[in-house]
PDB file of all heavy atoms in Angstrom:
ATOM      1  N   ALA A 241     -11.647  -6.300   9.403  1.00 78.00           N
ATOM      2  CA  ALA A 241     -11.236  -6.993   8.184  1.00 78.00           C
ATOM      3  C   ALA A 241     -11.465  -6.114   6.961  1.00 78.00           C
ATOM      4  O   ALA A 241     -10.610  -6.038   6.056  1.00 78.00           O
ATOM      5  CB  ALA A 241     -11.989  -8.302   8.038  1.00 78.00           C
ATOM      6  N   ILE A 242     -12.616  -5.447   6.922  1.00 79.00           N
ATOM      7  CA  ILE A 242     -12.926  -4.582   5.774  1.00 79.00           C
ATOM      8  C   ILE A 242     -11.970  -3.390   5.739  1.00 79.00           C
ATOM      9  O   ILE A 242     -11.470  -2.999   4.671  1.00 79.00           O
ATOM     10  CB  ILE A 242     -14.387  -4.117   5.833  1.00 79.00           C
ATOM     11  CG1 ILE A 242     -15.334  -5.307   5.636  1.00 79.00           C
ATOM     12  CG2 ILE A 242     -14.665  -3.037   4.771  1.00 79.00           C
ATOM     13  CD1 ILE A 242     -16.798  -4.965   5.843  1.00 79.00           C
ATOM     14  N   GLY A 243     -11.687  -2.794   6.913  1.00 80.00           N
ATOM     15  CA  GLY A 243     -10.757  -1.667   6.958  1.00 80.00           C
ATOM     16  C   GLY A 243      -9.368  -2.049   6.517  1.00 80.00           C
ATOM     17  O   GLY A 243      -8.708  -1.320   5.753  1.00 80.00           O
ATOM     18  N   SER A 244      -8.884  -3.199   6.965  1.00 76.00           N
ATOM     19  CA  SER A 244      -7.567  -3.677   6.551  1.00 76.00           C
ATOM     20  C   SER A 244      -7.525  -3.920   5.032  1.00 76.00           C
ATOM     21  O   SER A 244      -6.533  -3.618   4.368  1.00 76.00           O
ATOM     22  CB  SER A 244      -7.215  -4.968   7.295  1.00 76.00           C
ATOM     23  OG  SER A 244      -7.181  -4.755   8.688  1.00 76.00           O
ATOM     24  N   SER A 245      -8.616  -4.458   4.503  1.00 73.00           N
ATOM     25  CA  SER A 245      -8.681  -4.728   3.062  1.00 73.00           C
ATOM     26  C   SER A 245      -8.665  -3.434   2.256  1.00 73.00           C
ATOM     27  O   SER A 245      -8.026  -3.339   1.210  1.00 73.00           O
ATOM     28  CB  SER A 245      -9.931  -5.535   2.735  1.00 73.00           C
ATOM     29  OG  SER A 245      -9.909  -6.779   3.402  1.00 73.00           O
ATOM     30  N   ALA A 246      -9.396  -2.399   2.758  1.00 75.00           N
ATOM     31  CA  ALA A 246      -9.422  -1.102   2.067  1.00 75.00           C
ATOM     32  C   ALA A 246      -8.026  -0.503   2.012  1.00 75.00           C
ATOM     33  O   ALA A 246      -7.581   0.030   0.970  1.00 75.00           O
ATOM     34  CB  ALA A 246     -10.383  -0.163   2.771  1.00 75.00           C
ATOM     35  N   PHE A 247      -7.297  -0.575   3.146  1.00 75.00           N
ATOM     36  CA  PHE A 247      -5.924  -0.058   3.168  1.00 75.00           C
ATOM     37  C   PHE A 247      -5.032  -0.818   2.180  1.00 75.00           C
ATOM     38  O   PHE A 247      -4.240  -0.216   1.441  1.00 75.00           O
ATOM     39  CB  PHE A 247      -5.361  -0.162   4.590  1.00 75.00           C
ATOM     40  CG  PHE A 247      -3.882   0.094   4.660  1.00 75.00           C
ATOM     41  CD1 PHE A 247      -3.381   1.384   4.556  1.00 75.00           C
ATOM     42  CD2 PHE A 247      -2.996  -0.963   4.820  1.00 75.00           C
ATOM     43  CE1 PHE A 247      -2.018   1.623   4.593  1.00 75.00           C
ATOM     44  CE2 PHE A 247      -1.628  -0.720   4.875  1.00 75.00           C
ATOM     45  CZ  PHE A 247      -1.138   0.579   4.767  1.00 75.00           C
ATOM     46  N   ALA A 248      -5.194  -2.141   2.137  1.00 70.00           N
ATOM     47  CA  ALA A 248      -4.354  -2.949   1.236  1.00 70.00           C
ATOM     48  C   ALA A 248      -4.632  -2.600  -0.222  1.00 70.00           C
ATOM     49  O   ALA A 248      -3.708  -2.433  -1.032  1.00 70.00           O
ATOM     50  CB  ALA A 248      -4.628  -4.428   1.493  1.00 70.00           C
ATOM     51  N   LEU A 249      -5.921  -2.490  -0.595  1.00 66.00           N
ATOM     52  CA  LEU A 249      -6.256  -2.165  -1.981  1.00 66.00           C
ATOM     53  C   LEU A 249      -5.762  -0.784  -2.355  1.00 66.00           C
ATOM     54  O   LEU A 249      -5.267  -0.557  -3.467  1.00 66.00           O
ATOM     55  CB  LEU A 249      -7.772  -2.263  -2.182  1.00 66.00           C
ATOM     56  CG  LEU A 249      -8.364  -3.672  -2.244  1.00 66.00           C
ATOM     57  CD1 LEU A 249      -9.881  -3.599  -2.373  1.00 66.00           C
ATOM     58  CD2 LEU A 249      -7.791  -4.452  -3.415  1.00 66.00           C
ATOM     59  N   TRP A 250      -5.893   0.165  -1.450  1.00 74.00           N
ATOM     60  CA  TRP A 250      -5.414   1.514  -1.737  1.00 74.00           C
ATOM     61  C   TRP A 250      -3.908   1.529  -1.949  1.00 74.00           C
ATOM     62  O   TRP A 250      -3.389   2.191  -2.865  1.00 74.00           O
ATOM     63  CB  TRP A 250      -5.763   2.439  -0.572  1.00 74.00           C
ATOM     64  CG  TRP A 250      -5.181   3.819  -0.718  1.00 74.00           C
ATOM     65  CD1 TRP A 250      -5.663   4.856  -1.435  1.00 74.00           C
ATOM     66  CD2 TRP A 250      -3.951   4.280  -0.120  1.00 74.00           C
ATOM     67  NE1 TRP A 250      -4.821   5.946  -1.340  1.00 74.00           N
ATOM     68  CE2 TRP A 250      -3.748   5.616  -0.548  1.00 74.00           C
ATOM     69  CE3 TRP A 250      -3.005   3.699   0.726  1.00 74.00           C
ATOM     70  CZ2 TRP A 250      -2.658   6.369  -0.157  1.00 74.00           C
ATOM     71  CZ3 TRP A 250      -1.912   4.440   1.117  1.00 74.00           C
ATOM     72  CH2 TRP A 250      -1.743   5.772   0.684  1.00 74.00           C
ATOM     73  N   LEU A 251      -3.183   0.742  -1.142  1.00 71.00           N
ATOM     74  CA  LEU A 251      -1.727   0.742  -1.225  1.00 71.00           C
ATOM     75  C   LEU A 251      -1.237   0.124  -2.539  1.00 71.00           C
ATOM     76  O   LEU A 251      -0.352   0.673  -3.196  1.00 71.00           O
ATOM     77  CB  LEU A 251      -1.154  -0.033  -0.036  1.00 71.00           C
ATOM     78  CG  LEU A 251       0.380  -0.014   0.094  1.00 71.00           C
ATOM     79  CD1 LEU A 251       0.865   1.417   0.324  1.00 71.00           C
ATOM     80  CD2 LEU A 251       0.823  -0.914   1.256  1.00 71.00           C
ATOM     81  N   VAL A 252      -1.826  -1.009  -2.939  1.00 64.00           N
ATOM     82  CA  VAL A 252      -1.327  -1.679  -4.145  1.00 64.00           C
ATOM     83  C   VAL A 252      -1.732  -0.953  -5.413  1.00 64.00           C
ATOM     84  O   VAL A 252      -1.200  -1.268  -6.496  1.00 64.00           O
ATOM     85  CB  VAL A 252      -1.837  -3.140  -4.224  1.00 64.00           C
ATOM     86  CG1 VAL A 252      -1.367  -3.937  -3.022  1.00 64.00           C
ATOM     87  CG2 VAL A 252      -3.342  -3.206  -4.365  1.00 64.00           C
ATOM     88  N   CYS A 253      -2.649   0.000  -5.330  1.00 68.00           N
ATOM     89  CA  CYS A 253      -3.076   0.724  -6.529  1.00 68.00           C
ATOM     90  C   CYS A 253      -2.303   2.027  -6.745  1.00 68.00           C
ATOM     91  O   CYS A 253      -2.621   2.798  -7.645  1.00 68.00           O
ATOM     92  CB  CYS A 253      -4.574   1.018  -6.474  1.00 68.00           C
ATOM     93  SG  CYS A 253      -5.550  -0.498  -6.575  1.00 68.00           S
ATOM     94  N   GLN A 254      -1.313   2.283  -5.870  1.00 70.00           N
ATOM     95  CA  GLN A 254      -0.461   3.452  -6.072  1.00 70.00           C
ATOM     96  C   GLN A 254       0.480   3.191  -7.261  1.00 70.00           C
ATOM     97  O   GLN A 254       0.739   2.054  -7.649  1.00 70.00           O
ATOM     98  CB  GLN A 254       0.352   3.749  -4.812  1.00 70.00           C
ATOM     99  CG  GLN A 254      -0.505   4.004  -3.578  1.00 70.00           C
ATOM    100  CD  GLN A 254      -1.535   5.110  -3.796  1.00 70.00           C
ATOM    101  OE1 GLN A 254      -1.182   6.220  -4.155  1.00 70.00           O
ATOM    102  NE2 GLN A 254      -2.799   4.779  -3.598  1.00 70.00           N
ATOM    103  N   ARG A 255       0.974   4.287  -7.853  1.00 71.00           N
ATOM    104  CA  ARG A 255       1.842   4.145  -9.019  1.00 71.00           C
ATOM    105  C   ARG A 255       3.107   3.362  -8.695  1.00 71.00           C
ATOM    106  O   ARG A 255       3.538   2.514  -9.470  1.00 71.00           O
ATOM    107  CB  ARG A 255       2.199   5.521  -9.567  1.00 71.00           C
ATOM    108  CG  ARG A 255       3.157   5.485 -10.757  1.00 71.00           C
ATOM    109  CD  ARG A 255       3.418   6.875 -11.288  1.00 71.00           C
ATOM    110  NE  ARG A 255       2.197   7.513 -11.765  1.00 71.00           N
ATOM    111  CZ  ARG A 255       2.123   8.756 -12.238  1.00 71.00           C
ATOM    112  NH1 ARG A 255       3.229   9.492 -12.289  1.00 71.00           N
ATOM    113  NH2 ARG A 255       0.981   9.260 -12.646  1.00 71.00           N
ATOM    114  N   ASP A 256       3.705   3.636  -7.516  1.00 75.00           N
ATOM    115  CA  ASP A 256       4.929   2.951  -7.106  1.00 75.00           C
ATOM    116  C   ASP A 256       4.742   2.367  -5.712  1.00 75.00           C
ATOM    117  O   ASP A 256       3.891   2.828  -4.927  1.00 75.00           O
ATOM    118  CB  ASP A 256       6.119   3.913  -7.093  1.00 75.00           C
ATOM    119  CG  ASP A 256       6.367   4.536  -8.477  1.00 75.00           C
ATOM    120  OD1 ASP A 256       6.446   3.751  -9.448  1.00 75.00           O
ATOM    121  OD2 ASP A 256       6.461   5.774  -8.558  1.00 75.00           O
ATOM    122  N   MET A 257       5.541   1.360  -5.399  1.00 72.00           N
ATOM    123  CA  MET A 257       5.528   0.803  -4.041  1.00 72.00           C
ATOM    124  C   MET A 257       6.967   0.632  -3.564  1.00 72.00           C
ATOM    125  O   MET A 257       7.574  -0.443  -3.732  1.00 72.00           O
ATOM    126  CB  MET A 257       4.776  -0.532  -3.975  1.00 72.00           C
ATOM    127  CG  MET A 257       4.645  -1.068  -2.534  1.00 72.00           C
ATOM    128  SD  MET A 257       3.818  -2.658  -2.447  1.00 72.00           S
ATOM    129  CE  MET A 257       2.150  -2.171  -2.741  1.00 72.00           C
ATOM    130  N   PRO A 258       7.531   1.691  -2.983  1.00 78.00           N
ATOM    131  CA  PRO A 258       8.876   1.580  -2.437  1.00 78.00           C
ATOM    132  C   PRO A 258       8.931   0.525  -1.324  1.00 78.00           C
ATOM    133  O   PRO A 258       7.910   0.145  -0.748  1.00 78.00           O
ATOM    134  CB  PRO A 258       9.162   2.988  -1.893  1.00 78.00           C
ATOM    135  CG  PRO A 258       8.168   3.875  -2.581  1.00 78.00           C
ATOM    136  CD  PRO A 258       6.965   3.035  -2.820  1.00 78.00           C
ATOM    137  N   ARG A 259      10.130   0.081  -1.033  1.00 79.00           N
ATOM    138  CA  ARG A 259      10.296  -0.984  -0.017  1.00 79.00           C
ATOM    139  C   ARG A 259       9.778  -0.544   1.338  1.00 79.00           C
ATOM    140  O   ARG A 259       9.139  -1.352   2.051  1.00 79.00           O
ATOM    141  CB  ARG A 259      11.775  -1.348   0.072  1.00 79.00           C
ATOM    142  CG  ARG A 259      12.051  -2.504   1.035  1.00 79.00           C
ATOM    143  CD  ARG A 259      13.508  -2.913   0.981  1.00 79.00           C
ATOM    144  NE  ARG A 259      13.854  -3.372  -0.352  1.00 79.00           N
ATOM    145  CZ  ARG A 259      15.105  -3.734  -0.709  1.00 79.00           C
ATOM    146  NH1 ARG A 259      16.088  -3.680   0.183  1.00 79.00           N
ATOM    147  NH2 ARG A 259      15.344  -4.134  -1.931  1.00 79.00           N
ATOM    148  N   LEU A 260       9.980   0.726   1.674  1.00 79.00           N
ATOM    149  CA  LEU A 260       9.511   1.211   2.978  1.00 79.00           C
ATOM    150  C   LEU A 260       7.993   1.151   3.053  1.00 79.00           C
ATOM    151  O   LEU A 260       7.433   0.742   4.078  1.00 79.00           O
ATOM    152  CB  LEU A 260      10.006   2.655   3.195  1.00 79.00           C
ATOM    153  CG  LEU A 260       9.546   3.318   4.513  1.00 79.00           C
ATOM    154  CD1 LEU A 260      10.076   2.542   5.713  1.00 79.00           C
ATOM    155  CD2 LEU A 260      10.025   4.765   4.572  1.00 79.00           C
ATOM    156  N   HIS A 261       7.321   1.546   1.966  1.00 75.00           N
ATOM    157  CA  HIS A 261       5.852   1.477   1.947  1.00 75.00           C
ATOM    158  C   HIS A 261       5.383   0.033   2.072  1.00 75.00           C
ATOM    159  O   HIS A 261       4.371  -0.247   2.726  1.00 75.00           O
ATOM    160  CB  HIS A 261       5.322   2.087   0.659  1.00 75.00           C
ATOM    161  CG  HIS A 261       5.469   3.568   0.591  1.00 75.00           C
ATOM    162  ND1 HIS A 261       4.969   4.340  -0.445  1.00 75.00           N
ATOM    163  CD2 HIS A 261       6.086   4.457   1.429  1.00 75.00           C
ATOM    164  CE1 HIS A 261       5.252   5.599  -0.224  1.00 75.00           C
ATOM    165  NE2 HIS A 261       5.949   5.704   0.898  1.00 75.00           N
ATOM    166  N   LEU A 262       6.089  -0.897   1.442  1.00 74.00           N
ATOM    167  CA  LEU A 262       5.703  -2.312   1.528  1.00 74.00           C
ATOM    168  C   LEU A 262       5.832  -2.817   2.952  1.00 74.00           C
ATOM    169  O   LEU A 262       4.943  -3.530   3.451  1.00 74.00           O
ATOM    170  CB  LEU A 262       6.581  -3.119   0.577  1.00 74.00           C
ATOM    171  CG  LEU A 262       6.341  -4.644   0.567  1.00 74.00           C
ATOM    172  CD1 LEU A 262       4.928  -4.947   0.109  1.00 74.00           C
ATOM    173  CD2 LEU A 262       7.344  -5.339  -0.339  1.00 74.00           C
ATOM    174  N   VAL A 263       6.928  -2.450   3.639  1.00 80.00           N
ATOM    175  CA  VAL A 263       7.135  -2.920   5.011  1.00 80.00           C
ATOM    176  C   VAL A 263       6.074  -2.340   5.949  1.00 80.00           C
ATOM    177  O   VAL A 263       5.460  -3.062   6.758  1.00 80.00           O
ATOM    178  CB  VAL A 263       8.561  -2.526   5.486  1.00 80.00           C
ATOM    179  CG1 VAL A 263       8.722  -2.824   6.972  1.00 80.00           C
ATOM    180  CG2 VAL A 263       9.602  -3.285   4.680  1.00 80.00           C
ATOM    181  N   LEU A 264       5.853  -1.020   5.848  1.00 79.00           N
ATOM    182  CA  LEU A 264       4.837  -0.398   6.709  1.00 79.00           C
ATOM    183  C   LEU A 264       3.444  -0.956   6.411  1.00 79.00           C
ATOM    184  O   LEU A 264       2.641  -1.209   7.320  1.00 79.00           O
ATOM    185  CB  LEU A 264       4.847   1.119   6.506  1.00 79.00           C
ATOM    186  CG  LEU A 264       6.115   1.849   6.997  1.00 79.00           C
ATOM    187  CD1 LEU A 264       6.027   3.333   6.644  1.00 79.00           C
ATOM    188  CD2 LEU A 264       6.275   1.674   8.504  1.00 79.00           C
TER     189      LEU A 264
END
């Protein structure tokens, strides 16, 4: 759960979130 949360927080804090990144 903690690992999944770390990945999620890292992803949403990027400058952009293309659709492909959102799906993956």
Side-chain angles (χ1 to χ4, degrees):
I242 293 173
S244 299
S245 299
F247 169 74
L249 286 177
W250 174 82
L251 186 62
V252 300
C253 293
Q254 302 305 304
R255 177 177 299 177
D256 301 309
M257 185 182 285
R259 183 174 299 177
L260 179 61
H261 289 185
L262 178 62
V263 171
L264 292 176

